[in-house]
Amino acid sequence: MTQLGNRESKIEPRIRPLAQVGFFSAVALNAAGAMVVEITAGRLLAPYFGMSLYTWTTIIGIVLAGLTVGHWLGGALADRFSSTLKRTIALAFWAGALITLAILPITRFVALAMTEQQNPLATSIVVTSLAAFLLPSFAAGVIQPLATTYVIQRCEDQKGHFIGRMLAAGAFGSILGTFLAGFVLISYIGSAGSIWIVAGANALFGALFFMKPVVRFFGLVVGIGMGYAALSGWRVSVFATPCQVESQYYCIRIDPADHMTGRSSRLMALDHLVHSINDEQDPGHLASPYVHFVDEIARQKFGAEPFSAFFIGGGGYTLPRAWVARHPDIRMFIAEIDPKVTLLAKKKLWFEPRDGVVVANLDARFALASQKPWQKYDVIFGDAFHDIAVPAHLITDEFYRLVAERLTDRGFYILNLVDDPRRPRLLASVLRTMQKQFKKVEIWGAPDDLGGAQRGTFILYASKRVSGLPAKYLARNGQPRLWWRIGIQLERVERLGVMLTDDFAPVDRLLSRLWLRAD
C-alpha cells in the first residue's frame, strides 16, 4: 500500500513546467488586459461625459458583468471543446483582440450619437459603456476557465494545486494591469495606445496557442503590428480619441478660439469642458463670465493696491496671467495638480510666471494646508470644478475651516458651482456648510443662467465682510456683463441642503437631477 502511494505521488504531470508557465502567464496577462481596459474606459468616456461616481460605477459594473458571463460561458466551452482546448483558447484570444480594438470606434460613435440626441448624462454613460466595454470584458472572462481546464486535464493528481495557481495568476494579472494602466500606459502612450497594446497582446497569445505554423506566424505579425501602432503613436482617425495630450488626470486639448472671441486666442479643454480661453495680445481680456466676475470683485475690493492670491486649480492660468500683467509685484500661489496642464499653459497659452508667483503641481487642499500659519491671502479662488464633476474634498466643512484660516482680515474666498436653479441641492448644501465658517456668504449668477434654465453657473463669495457690490452689478471693466445677487431663504437652505463633511459629501446624489435629466 505504501509503495503504491509512493509510486502514485511520483507521477509526473503531462504538461511540461515551461508550458505551465506559459498558461499561467496567459491567464495573468489576459486579466491584466481586462483591468487596463477598465481603467482606460474612464479616460475614453471623459472627453464626452466627464468623470464622476456614476461613470466609475457604470464602468466597473459592466466590466464585472462581462467577466462574470465570460467565466460562466468559458467553463461550458471548456467541456464542449475539451479535445481541442488549445485551438479554442487561441480563437478566444483572437476574438478578444478584434473586440478590444473595436472599443475605440464604438466609443466615439455611440458617445457622439448619445450627445447629439441630448440624452441624460447617466443614460449616455450606461449605453456607451455597454456598447464599448461589455463584449471585451466577456472575451477576457472566457480565457481563464479554458486555460485552467486544459492544465488540470493533464495534471489529474494536482487539480487543487493548479486551480489555485490559475486563480492566483488571474488576481496577480489584475493587480499588474491596474498599476500599468494608471501609472504607465495612459500617461506615456495614451488611452488609444493602451487599447492597442491590449489588443496586440491578445493577438500574440492567440498565435502562440495555435498549432499551425502559418497561422501562428500571421498572428505574431498582427500582434507585433498592433504593439508598434501603440508605441509609435500611429493612429487611424477611426481609432483616435479627441485628446491631443493625455496626462494622469485629464484628456487635454488646446484649440484656436478666434471664432469664439473675435480675437487671436486659444482655449484649453480638460476632458469634456472648455476650462480656459486666453487672449494672445491682451491678458486682461477675460472671456469666461465667472472669471470676469472674480476679477471685478478684486478690482472693487482692492483697486490699484497690491494683494495676494491663492488659486485652487490653474487650468489655462487665465486669471493669474491677467493679474500678473496688471500687478507685476503680486504675490500668488497656484496649486494645479496636473503638471502637463501647467506645461501647456506656458507653451501654448502665453502664461509667463514671474517672481512672486509660485506654481505647485499639488492637490490644492494639501498645498493650502502646507502653507505656514503666517502665510495668508487676500483672495482664494476655487477653480478646480469641471462642470458637474466636483471634487468632494474641496467643498467640506473641514476644507472651509482651512480656507478661513488662510484668509487675511480683508480677504475673500470665491468659487463657481453648477447646479439646477429650480432645485439647487448642491448649492444649498455648499451654502449651508460655508455659513458655519464665514460670517458673510453671497450667491451671484447671470440672468441667463437663472431665468428658467435647467442648469446655471453660480458664484459663491465668502468672507468676514460683504462684497460691497449692489444687488444688480454691471461690469465696469471688459465686456458689459450683468450679475445678480441671489437670495435663498433659510428654510429652503435647511430643506434642500445637507452639511458637507469629509465623512459625508454626496456630491453626485445632490447633482443627480443634472445627471439623470436631458438638457
Side-chain angles (χ1 to χ4, degrees), residues 171-413:
F172 172 77
S174 297
I175 297 169
L176 177 65
T178 300
F179 283 98
L180 272 177
F183 288 97
V184 180
L185 294 179
I186 294 175
S187 297
Y188 286 94
I189 63 175
S191 53
S194 300
I195 295 298
W196 279 94
I197 282 286
V198 174
N202 281 332
L204 284 173
F205 271 108
L208 294 176
F209 278 98
F210 223 100
M211 300 303 296
K212 293 183 178 180
V214 175
V215 180
R216 179 178 291 183
F217 176 77
F218 175 76
L220 288 171
V221 170
V222 172
I224 292 170
M226 290 181 176
Y228 174 79
L231 298 175
S232 67
W234 177 81
R235 301 288 184 271
V236 180
S237 59
V238 71
F239 295 110
T241 70
C243 313
Q244 295 173 359
V245 176
E246 289 189 74
S247 70
Q248 291 178 317
Y249 301 95
Y250 301 114
C251 164
I252 309 170
R253 296 196 327 274
I254 306 292
D255 293 324
D258 305 28
H259 63 289
M260 299 173 66
T261 64
R263 309 157 66 97
S264 176
S265 53
R266 292 176 185 162
L267 64 83
M268 172 181 282
L270 302 179
D271 290 340
H272 69 302
L273 179 70
V274 176
H275 184 278
S276 308
I277 300 175
N278 287 9
D279 187 288
E280 180 179 7
Q281 301 298 328
D282 181 10
H285 178 75
L286 304 174
S288 299
Y290 77 93
V291 174
H292 186 189
F293 185 73
V294 175
D295 182 60
E296 285 289 311
I297 290 185
R299 287 175 183 268
Q300 298 307 309
K301 296 280 282 187
F302 309 124
E305 297 179 23
F307 62 94
S308 57
F310 185 102
F311 283 83
I312 300 170
Y317 290 78
T318 304
L319 193 55
R321 182 169 171 255
W323 284 356
V324 165
R326 194 162 73 240
H327 303 282
D329 297 329
I330 191 171
R331 181 171 67 87
M332 190 184 300
F333 190 106
I334 307 165
E336 168 52 60
I337 196 170
D338 193 338
K340 288 192 177 180
V341 166
T342 301
L343 180 63
L344 288 170
K346 292 177 181 178
K347 291 179 64 175
K348 297 191 175 183
L349 295 179
W350 310 291
F351 172 60
E352 299 177 0
R354 301 178 184 176
D355 292 341
V357 177
V358 177
V359 177
N361 296 126
L362 298 169
D363 175 81
R365 180 164 172 174
F366 175 81
L368 194 60
S370 301
Q371 302 288 299
K372 302 296 183 183
W374 49 266
Q375 291 179 303
K376 297 181 182 291
Y377 297 90
D378 297 312
V379 181
I380 297 179
F381 179 24
D383 195 22
F385 300 170
H386 300 283
D387 194 21
I388 54 177
V390 179
H393 70 299
L394 299 182
I395 57 170
T396 65
D397 178 57
E398 293 86 347
F399 176 66
Y400 291 145
R401 186 185 309 126
L402 174 63
V403 170
E405 291 171 354
R406 293 292 186 266
L407 282 174
T408 62
D409 287 340
R410 67 173 186 169
F412 64 90
Y413 171 57

Side-chain angles (χ1 to χ4, degrees), residues 76-138:
L77 290 174
D79 289 337
R80 182 177 180 84
F81 299 102
S82 59
S83 61
T84 57
L85 276 176
K86 287 190 74 173
R87 186 173 65 184
T88 305
I89 293 170
L91 293 174
F93 268 119
W94 282 348
L98 292 174
I99 294 169
T100 299
L101 200 57
I103 286 173
L104 297 171
I106 288 173
T107 300
R108 185 175 186 178
F109 175 79
V110 178
L112 288 174
M114 297 299 291
T115 302
E116 289 173 0
Q117 293 172 13
Q118 296 185 332
N119 292 289
L121 272 174
T123 302
S124 299
I125 291 167
V126 171
V127 171
T128 307
S129 298
L130 280 170
F133 307 116
L134 182 64
L135 282 180
S137 303
F138 164 78

Side-chain angles (χ1 to χ4, degrees), residues 405-425:
E405 291 171 354
R406 293 292 186 266
L407 282 174
T408 62
D409 287 340
R410 67 173 186 169
F412 64 90
Y413 171 57
I414 195 162
L415 77 156
N416 65 297
L417 195 70
V418 173
D419 205 345
D420 182 347
R422 295 170 296 180
R423 189 173 172 81
R425 294 191 296 170

